[in-house]
Amino acid sequence: MVSDSAADAVGAAQKPASAKGEKKPNVFARLVLFVRQIIGELKKVVTPTRQDLISYTIVVLVFVAVVMAFITGIDFGLGKLMLWLFASN
């Protein structure tokens, strides 16, 4: 969900300033708005518990091992196929 100030900023950013006759905010005002939005988003971040972190790590390691085994199998199979096709006897 987007906060009201962020929604206003997005809405204002999408409308051309010249169409409404309004002046575009200067670079410092836009920078301050950007930093406020970053802080607002960082407040929404939830750090995982130790158990969540362990389970996420295990899932990633298992996935990497499965993909690595799959690629190794394909590489080995294609290597054997190339030796069979192009080997000179």
Short mmCIF file of all heavy atoms in Angstrom, two decimals, residues 49-84:
data_model
loop_
_atom_site.label_atom_id
_atom_site.label_comp_id
_atom_site.label_asym_id
_atom_site.label_seq_id
_atom_site.Cartn_x
_atom_site.Cartn_y
_atom_site.Cartn_z
N THR A 49 13.10 -14.01 11.42
CA THR A 49 13.59 -14.63 12.64
C THR A 49 14.74 -15.55 12.30
O THR A 49 14.99 -15.86 11.13
CB THR A 49 12.48 -15.41 13.34
OG1 THR A 49 12.08 -16.50 12.48
CG2 THR A 49 11.29 -14.54 13.65
N ARG A 50 15.43 -16.01 13.32
CA ARG A 50 16.56 -16.93 13.09
C ARG A 50 16.08 -18.20 12.40
O ARG A 50 16.73 -18.70 11.48
CB ARG A 50 17.23 -17.24 14.42
CG ARG A 50 18.44 -18.13 14.30
CD ARG A 50 19.11 -18.31 15.66
NE ARG A 50 20.25 -19.18 15.57
CZ ARG A 50 21.48 -18.79 15.23
NH1 ARG A 50 21.69 -17.53 14.95
NH2 ARG A 50 22.47 -19.64 15.18
N GLN A 51 14.93 -18.73 12.82
CA GLN A 51 14.40 -19.96 12.22
C GLN A 51 14.03 -19.73 10.75
O GLN A 51 14.28 -20.58 9.90
CB GLN A 51 13.18 -20.45 13.01
CG GLN A 51 12.68 -21.81 12.58
CD GLN A 51 13.74 -22.89 12.73
OE1 GLN A 51 14.49 -22.90 13.70
NE2 GLN A 51 13.81 -23.78 11.77
N ASP A 52 13.42 -18.57 10.45
CA ASP A 52 13.09 -18.25 9.06
C ASP A 52 14.36 -18.17 8.22
O ASP A 52 14.41 -18.70 7.10
CB ASP A 52 12.36 -16.91 8.98
CG ASP A 52 10.93 -16.98 9.48
OD1 ASP A 52 10.39 -18.10 9.57
OD2 ASP A 52 10.37 -15.91 9.79
N LEU A 53 15.36 -17.53 8.75
CA LEU A 53 16.62 -17.37 8.02
C LEU A 53 17.27 -18.71 7.73
O LEU A 53 17.77 -18.95 6.63
CB LEU A 53 17.57 -16.47 8.81
CG LEU A 53 18.75 -15.89 8.08
CD1 LEU A 53 18.30 -15.04 6.91
CD2 LEU A 53 19.58 -15.06 9.03
N ILE A 54 17.24 -19.61 8.70
CA ILE A 54 17.81 -20.94 8.51
C ILE A 54 17.03 -21.70 7.45
O ILE A 54 17.61 -22.33 6.56
CB ILE A 54 17.84 -21.71 9.86
CG1 ILE A 54 18.88 -21.08 10.78
CG2 ILE A 54 18.13 -23.19 9.64
CD1 ILE A 54 18.84 -21.60 12.21
N SER A 55 15.71 -21.63 7.50
CA SER A 55 14.90 -22.37 6.52
C SER A 55 15.09 -21.78 5.11
O SER A 55 15.18 -22.53 4.14
CB SER A 55 13.44 -22.39 6.91
OG SER A 55 12.90 -21.09 6.92
N TYR A 56 15.17 -20.46 4.99
CA TYR A 56 15.41 -19.85 3.68
C TYR A 56 16.77 -20.27 3.13
O TYR A 56 16.91 -20.56 1.94
CB TYR A 56 15.37 -18.33 3.77
CG TYR A 56 14.04 -17.73 4.16
CD1 TYR A 56 13.97 -16.46 4.72
CD2 TYR A 56 12.84 -18.43 4.00
CE1 TYR A 56 12.76 -15.89 5.08
CE2 TYR A 56 11.63 -17.87 4.36
CZ TYR A 56 11.60 -16.61 4.90
OH TYR A 56 10.40 -16.05 5.26
N THR A 57 17.77 -20.32 4.00
CA THR A 57 19.11 -20.71 3.58
C THR A 57 19.12 -22.15 3.09
O THR A 57 19.73 -22.46 2.05
CB THR A 57 20.11 -20.53 4.73
OG1 THR A 57 20.07 -19.17 5.16
CG2 THR A 57 21.52 -20.89 4.29
N ILE A 58 18.45 -23.03 3.80
CA ILE A 58 18.39 -24.44 3.40
C ILE A 58 17.68 -24.59 2.06
O ILE A 58 18.14 -25.33 1.17
CB ILE A 58 17.71 -25.29 4.49
CG1 ILE A 58 18.63 -25.37 5.72
CG2 ILE A 58 17.36 -26.68 3.98
CD1 ILE A 58 17.98 -25.99 6.94
N VAL A 59 16.59 -23.86 1.86
CA VAL A 59 15.86 -23.92 0.59
C VAL A 59 16.75 -23.47 -0.56
O VAL A 59 16.80 -24.11 -1.61
CB VAL A 59 14.57 -23.07 0.66
CG1 VAL A 59 13.98 -22.86 -0.72
CG2 VAL A 59 13.56 -23.71 1.58
N VAL A 60 17.48 -22.39 -0.37
CA VAL A 60 18.36 -21.89 -1.43
C VAL A 60 19.48 -22.88 -1.72
O VAL A 60 19.79 -23.16 -2.89
CB VAL A 60 18.94 -20.51 -1.04
CG1 VAL A 60 20.07 -20.11 -1.97
CG2 VAL A 60 17.85 -19.46 -1.05
N LEU A 61 20.09 -23.43 -0.69
CA LEU A 61 21.18 -24.39 -0.91
C LEU A 61 20.69 -25.65 -1.62
O LEU A 61 21.37 -26.18 -2.51
CB LEU A 61 21.85 -24.74 0.42
CG LEU A 61 22.65 -23.60 1.07
CD1 LEU A 61 23.19 -24.05 2.43
CD2 LEU A 61 23.77 -23.15 0.16
N VAL A 62 19.51 -26.16 -1.25
CA VAL A 62 18.96 -27.34 -1.91
C VAL A 62 18.65 -27.03 -3.37
O VAL A 62 18.97 -27.82 -4.28
CB VAL A 62 17.71 -27.86 -1.17
CG1 VAL A 62 16.95 -28.88 -1.99
CG2 VAL A 62 18.10 -28.44 0.18
N PHE A 63 18.07 -25.87 -3.63
CA PHE A 63 17.76 -25.49 -5.01
C PHE A 63 19.03 -25.38 -5.84
O PHE A 63 19.08 -25.87 -6.98
CB PHE A 63 17.00 -24.16 -5.03
CG PHE A 63 16.69 -23.67 -6.41
CD1 PHE A 63 15.66 -24.24 -7.13
CD2 PHE A 63 17.43 -22.65 -6.98
CE1 PHE A 63 15.37 -23.80 -8.41
CE2 PHE A 63 17.16 -22.21 -8.26
CZ PHE A 63 16.12 -22.78 -8.98
N VAL A 64 20.06 -24.75 -5.30
CA VAL A 64 21.33 -24.61 -6.03
C VAL A 64 21.94 -25.99 -6.30
O VAL A 64 22.45 -26.26 -7.39
CB VAL A 64 22.30 -23.70 -5.25
CG1 VAL A 64 23.71 -23.78 -5.81
CG2 VAL A 64 21.81 -22.26 -5.28
N ALA A 65 21.87 -26.90 -5.32
CA ALA A 65 22.41 -28.25 -5.52
C ALA A 65 21.66 -28.99 -6.61
O ALA A 65 22.27 -29.68 -7.44
CB ALA A 65 22.36 -29.02 -4.20
N VAL A 66 20.33 -28.86 -6.64
CA VAL A 66 19.53 -29.54 -7.67
C VAL A 66 19.85 -28.99 -9.05
O VAL A 66 20.06 -29.76 -10.00
CB VAL A 66 18.02 -29.41 -7.34
CG1 VAL A 66 17.16 -29.84 -8.53
CG2 VAL A 66 17.67 -30.23 -6.11
N VAL A 67 19.92 -27.68 -9.17
CA VAL A 67 20.23 -27.08 -10.48
C VAL A 67 21.65 -27.45 -10.90
O VAL A 67 21.90 -27.75 -12.06
CB VAL A 67 20.04 -25.54 -10.43
CG1 VAL A 67 20.58 -24.88 -11.67
CG2 VAL A 67 18.58 -25.21 -10.24
N MET A 68 22.58 -27.46 -9.95
CA MET A 68 23.96 -27.83 -10.26
C MET A 68 24.03 -29.29 -10.74
O MET A 68 24.73 -29.59 -11.72
CB MET A 68 24.83 -27.64 -9.02
CG MET A 68 26.30 -27.77 -9.28
SD MET A 68 27.31 -27.30 -7.87
CE MET A 68 26.82 -28.49 -6.66
N ALA A 69 23.30 -30.17 -10.10
CA ALA A 69 23.29 -31.58 -10.53
C ALA A 69 22.67 -31.71 -11.92
O ALA A 69 23.16 -32.49 -12.76
CB ALA A 69 22.52 -32.42 -9.52
N PHE A 70 21.61 -30.96 -12.18
CA PHE A 70 20.96 -31.00 -13.49
C PHE A 70 21.92 -30.53 -14.59
O PHE A 70 22.08 -31.19 -15.61
CB PHE A 70 19.70 -30.12 -13.45
CG PHE A 70 18.97 -30.05 -14.76
CD1 PHE A 70 18.27 -31.15 -15.24
CD2 PHE A 70 18.98 -28.88 -15.49
CE1 PHE A 70 17.60 -31.08 -16.45
CE2 PHE A 70 18.31 -28.80 -16.70
CZ PHE A 70 17.62 -29.90 -17.18
N ILE A 71 22.58 -29.41 -14.37
CA ILE A 71 23.53 -28.87 -15.36
C ILE A 71 24.71 -29.82 -15.54
O ILE A 71 25.18 -30.05 -16.66
CB ILE A 71 24.01 -27.47 -14.95
CG1 ILE A 71 22.84 -26.50 -14.89
CG2 ILE A 71 25.10 -26.96 -15.88
CD1 ILE A 71 22.16 -26.24 -16.22
N THR A 72 25.19 -30.41 -14.45
CA THR A 72 26.30 -31.37 -14.53
C THR A 72 25.89 -32.58 -15.36
O THR A 72 26.66 -33.06 -16.20
CB THR A 72 26.74 -31.81 -13.12
OG1 THR A 72 27.14 -30.65 -12.39
CG2 THR A 72 27.88 -32.80 -13.17
N GLY A 73 24.68 -33.07 -15.14
CA GLY A 73 24.18 -34.22 -15.92
C GLY A 73 24.08 -33.90 -17.40
O GLY A 73 24.47 -34.70 -18.25
N ILE A 74 23.55 -32.71 -17.71
CA ILE A 74 23.46 -32.31 -19.12
C ILE A 74 24.85 -32.18 -19.74
O ILE A 74 25.10 -32.66 -20.85
CB ILE A 74 22.67 -30.99 -19.26
CG1 ILE A 74 21.20 -31.24 -18.95
CG2 ILE A 74 22.83 -30.39 -20.65
CD1 ILE A 74 20.35 -29.98 -18.93
N ASP A 75 25.78 -31.58 -19.02
CA ASP A 75 27.15 -31.40 -19.51
C ASP A 75 27.82 -32.75 -19.74
O ASP A 75 28.45 -32.97 -20.78
CB ASP A 75 27.95 -30.56 -18.52
CG ASP A 75 29.35 -30.28 -19.01
OD1 ASP A 75 29.50 -29.85 -20.17
OD2 ASP A 75 30.29 -30.49 -18.23
N PHE A 76 27.66 -33.64 -18.79
CA PHE A 76 28.26 -34.98 -18.92
C PHE A 76 27.65 -35.72 -20.11
O PHE A 76 28.37 -36.32 -20.92
CB PHE A 76 28.05 -35.77 -17.63
CG PHE A 76 28.69 -37.12 -17.64
CD1 PHE A 76 30.05 -37.26 -17.50
CD2 PHE A 76 27.92 -38.27 -17.79
CE1 PHE A 76 30.65 -38.51 -17.52
CE2 PHE A 76 28.50 -39.52 -17.81
CZ PHE A 76 29.87 -39.64 -17.67
N GLY A 77 26.33 -35.65 -20.23
CA GLY A 77 25.66 -36.35 -21.33
C GLY A 77 26.06 -35.78 -22.69
O GLY A 77 26.32 -36.54 -23.64
N LEU A 78 26.09 -34.46 -22.81
CA LEU A 78 26.50 -33.86 -24.08
C LEU A 78 27.97 -34.14 -24.39
O LEU A 78 28.33 -34.33 -25.55
CB LEU A 78 26.25 -32.35 -24.06
CG LEU A 78 24.78 -31.92 -24.16
CD1 LEU A 78 24.66 -30.41 -23.99
CD2 LEU A 78 24.17 -32.36 -25.47
N GLY A 79 28.80 -34.18 -23.36
CA GLY A 79 30.21 -34.53 -23.57
C GLY A 79 30.36 -35.94 -24.11
O GLY A 79 31.13 -36.18 -25.06
N LYS A 80 29.64 -36.88 -23.53
CA LYS A 80 29.68 -38.27 -24.02
C LYS A 80 29.13 -38.37 -25.44
O LYS A 80 29.67 -39.10 -26.27
CB LYS A 80 28.88 -39.19 -23.10
CG LYS A 80 29.52 -39.43 -21.76
CD LYS A 80 30.76 -40.28 -21.93
CE LYS A 80 31.33 -40.62 -20.58
NZ LYS A 80 32.58 -41.36 -20.68
N LEU A 81 28.06 -37.62 -25.72
CA LEU A 81 27.47 -37.62 -27.07
C LEU A 81 28.46 -37.07 -28.09
O LEU A 81 28.62 -37.65 -29.17
CB LEU A 81 26.19 -36.78 -27.08
CG LEU A 81 25.48 -36.65 -28.43
CD1 LEU A 81 24.94 -38.01 -28.88
CD2 LEU A 81 24.37 -35.63 -28.34
N MET A 82 29.17 -36.00 -27.74
CA MET A 82 30.14 -35.42 -28.67
C MET A 82 31.31 -36.38 -28.88
O MET A 82 31.80 -36.51 -30.02
CB MET A 82 30.67 -34.08 -28.14
CG MET A 82 29.63 -32.97 -28.12
SD MET A 82 28.98 -32.63 -29.74
CE MET A 82 27.27 -33.04 -29.51
N LEU A 83 31.76 -37.06 -27.83
CA LEU A 83 32.83 -38.05 -28.00
C LEU A 83 32.37 -39.19 -28.90
O LEU A 83 33.14 -39.67 -29.75
CB LEU A 83 33.26 -38.59 -26.64
CG LEU A 83 34.21 -37.70 -25.84
CD1 LEU A 83 34.45 -38.30 -24.45
CD2 LEU A 83 35.54 -37.54 -26.57
N TRP A 84 31.16 -39.64 -28.73
CA TRP A 84 30.63 -40.73 -29.56
C TRP A 84 30.49 -40.30 -31.02
O TRP A 84 30.82 -41.06 -31.92
CB TRP A 84 29.28 -41.17 -29.00
CG TRP A 84 28.62 -42.26 -29.79
CD1 TRP A 84 28.98 -43.58 -29.81
CD2 TRP A 84 27.53 -42.13 -30.67
NE1 TRP A 84 28.16 -44.27 -30.65
CE2 TRP A 84 27.25 -43.39 -31.20
CE3 TRP A 84 26.74 -41.05 -31.06
CZ2 TRP A 84 26.23 -43.62 -32.11
CZ3 TRP A 84 25.72 -41.28 -31.97
CH2 TRP A 84 25.47 -42.54 -32.49
#
